[in-house]
Amino acid sequence: MSKQDFSIPALMNRLSSEAEAYKLLEELRWGADKSRCACPHCGVIGGHYYLAPANGSSRKTRMTGKTGAVSQRRVWKCCACRKQFSVLTGTIFHGSKISVRTWVLVILEMCASKNGVSAREIERKYDLTAKTAWFMCHRIREAMKLEPMAGLLSGVVAADETWIGGKPSNQSKSKRAPRARWEVKRTEKPSVLALVDTVTGEVRSRVVPNVKGATLRDAISQQVEMGATTLVTDEAQAYKMFAGEMKGHERVTHSADEYVNKDGFTTNQAEAYFGQLKRSIDGTHHHVSVEHLARYLANHDFLRSTHEMDDSDRMRLLVARTTGRRLTYKPLTDHRDYDTPSCP
């Protein structure tokens, strides 16, 4: 495929029917050799055959007299467990009643928009309900999460933290914590820590309960190989608590108008990430709840970490991550699927 195959005009030519959309998704997820994909039920590789529709485009799913419902869903059957499956089985698309054509186009939009796409935009553009568009966007963000087997960062890593949200003093009176008017506590907003590999540009961010030394050390140790990493930070005192565990610790003194220290180290990459993140939240989403903030961080981590890819390659990578990440509506709305720390 050429790099322009996944532009909107090119996709519209390829998605002439739902069956063609299935074929494209199979190509994105399984590659050209579909015979080497694994059965989502038993895991056997290559032990399956194409079942229906026989003509490759449509089939009747049930017969009532001489009429029947017509489906363009492409079905495969495993020779080992004898179960049927499609390219949607066991993925973020599993159980969805949204057309595959709509899924493909929305994925392209979310891969191509560096400021993100709001659920309201998807609702209007694709004639969906607000709940459907919101659920759809979160399922795509589920595929954007960091892969479970991703290794630890090493080398030179820039770290910085920020607070997400408006000033507590601007909240409505019913939500505002009782305090004097002149007291504005920044820590009432959710805290976010970002780690950026200064060589590859990979970003890993997460919501943290606070920005104390013990909290930051715990979060950083889960993503960074401590003894093999030079950590670059601003002059925040919290990092001094565990600086001795790092290979090196470089500080940039912002209070002295220093943004690149004498050895050439800087936290500009982490600050640029936060700038893009906040522009997206303010200008595109307008509001992000604390419960789902980690999902929006995963969205922007993915886009920032793949910024050197074109939209087509980013889309291929995203579809490849959809396997085994099924997300249902109830745990999403119960906030149990993400381990989101509580914020003060």
Side-chain angles (χ1 to χ4, degrees):
M1 288 187 188
S2 69
K3 290 187 177 180
Q4 299 302 317
D5 277 353
F6 297 151
S7 64
I8 291 179
L11 278 182
M12 293 306 297
N13 290 332
R14 294 196 63 177
L15 303 177
S16 57
S17 66
E18 189 71 355
E20 292 301 317
Y22 269 93
K23 291 179 183 178
L24 176 59
L25 200 58
E26 288 172 359
E27 183 181 330
L28 288 170
R29 185 183 169 196
W30 294 334
D33 186 10
K34 302 180 182 65
S35 63
R36 299 306 302 163
C37 74
C39 171
H41 301 294
C42 65
V44 171
I45 298 176
H48 61 274
Y49 60 92
Y50 179 69
L51 183 64
N55 62 7
S57 60
S58 63
R59 65 188 176 101
K60 290 185 176 181
T61 57
R62 65 177 184 272
M63 297 298 294
T64 306
K66 295 183 179 180
T67 63
V70 177
S71 172
Q72 296 185 38
R73 178 174 177 266
R74 287 168 55 84
V75 181
W76 301 74
K77 189 168 184 176
C78 179
C79 299
C81 65
R82 309 302 297 168
K83 292 183 180 180
Q84 297 180 13
F85 64 91
S86 76
V87 70
L88 311 182
T89 306
T91 67
I92 62 170
F93 315 109
H94 193 116
S96 173
K97 295 182 181 179
I98 305 167
S99 72
V100 177
R101 282 183 289 184
T102 300
W103 271 111
V104 171
L105 291 170
V106 173
I107 286 175
L108 176 62
E109 286 214 38
M110 292 192 68
C111 285
S113 304
K114 70 175 184 177
N115 280 325
V117 182
S118 72
R120 288 295 186 180
E121 289 181 71
I122 300 302
E123 174 193 357
R124 293 193 305 271
K125 289 180 180 179
Y126 297 96
D127 194 23
L128 303 171
T129 65
K131 280 187 177 181
T132 298
W134 180 82
F135 185 27
M136 191 177 188
C137 290
H138 275 311
R139 282 197 275 186
I140 294 173
R141 292 186 185 106
E142 179 73 12
M144 290 179 170
K145 288 196 308 183
L146 185 68
E147 294 180 280
M149 300 302 292
L152 298 177
L153 298 176
S154 61
V156 179
V157 174
D160 199 9
E161 70 287 335
T162 191
W163 287 263
I164 302 296
K167 293 181 179 179
S169 58
N170 290 336
Q171 290 180 331
S172 64
K173 190 174 181 180
S174 60
K175 296 180 180 179
R176 194 183 310 154
R179 60 179 181 272
R181 286 183 302 171
W182 58 86
E183 291 183 306
V184 177
K185 295 184 179 180
R186 182 171 55 178
T187 53
E188 290 182 1
K189 300 186 288 187
S191 312
V192 173
L193 170 70
L195 302 169
V196 184
D197 187 314
T198 60
V199 176
T200 65
E202 180 183 354
V203 181
R204 299 185 185 182
S205 62
R206 61 171 297 174
V207 181
V208 290
N210 54 63
V211 292
K212 296 178 181 178
T215 303
L216 294 180
R217 186 207 172 278
D218 181 58
I220 290 174
S221 64
Q222 293 175 20
Q223 300 295 337
V224 169
E225 192 175 348
M226 302 285 278
T229 302
T230 297
L231 191 67
V232 185
T233 70
D234 55 21
E235 65 267 39
Q237 297 299 309
Y239 294 104
K240 283 188 174 182
M241 175 182 172
F242 55 93
E245 301 179 51
M246 311 300 298
K247 179 181 178 181
H249 179 212
E250 295 289 338
R251 301 179 69 194
V252 181
T253 311
H254 291 163
S255 59
D257 291 332
E258 180 184 65
Y259 297 96
V260 180
N261 71 9
K262 58 183 176 60
D263 295 317
F265 293 97
T266 179
T267 59
N268 285 350
Q269 288 171 294
E271 291 164 9
Y273 168 79
F274 283 139
Q276 185 70 61
L277 173 67
K278 291 185 177 183
R279 283 194 297 273
S280 173
I281 292 176
D282 293 343
T284 301
H285 303 292
H286 305 307
H287 169 74
V288 171
S289 65
V290 176
E291 292 81 5
H292 296 293
L293 177 57
R295 295 191 173 280
Y296 292 91
L297 295 180
N299 187 167
H300 287 276
D301 287 358
F302 177 79
L303 294 176
R304 186 75 177 185
S305 298
T306 60
H307 69 279
E308 292 187 354
M309 293 184 180
D310 59 36
D311 297 338
S312 300
D313 289 340
R314 193 177 295 112
M315 186 173 175
R316 291 187 184 97
L317 176 61
L318 177 61
V319 174
R321 289 187 179 185
T322 59
T323 304
R325 299 196 178 190
R326 187 183 179 190
L327 178 65
T328 55
Y329 192 77
K330 191 175 189 302
L332 177 63
T333 52
D334 286 348
H335 315 310
R336 290 199 302 266
D337 60 308
Y338 245 101
D339 184 19
T340 305
S342 59
C343 298

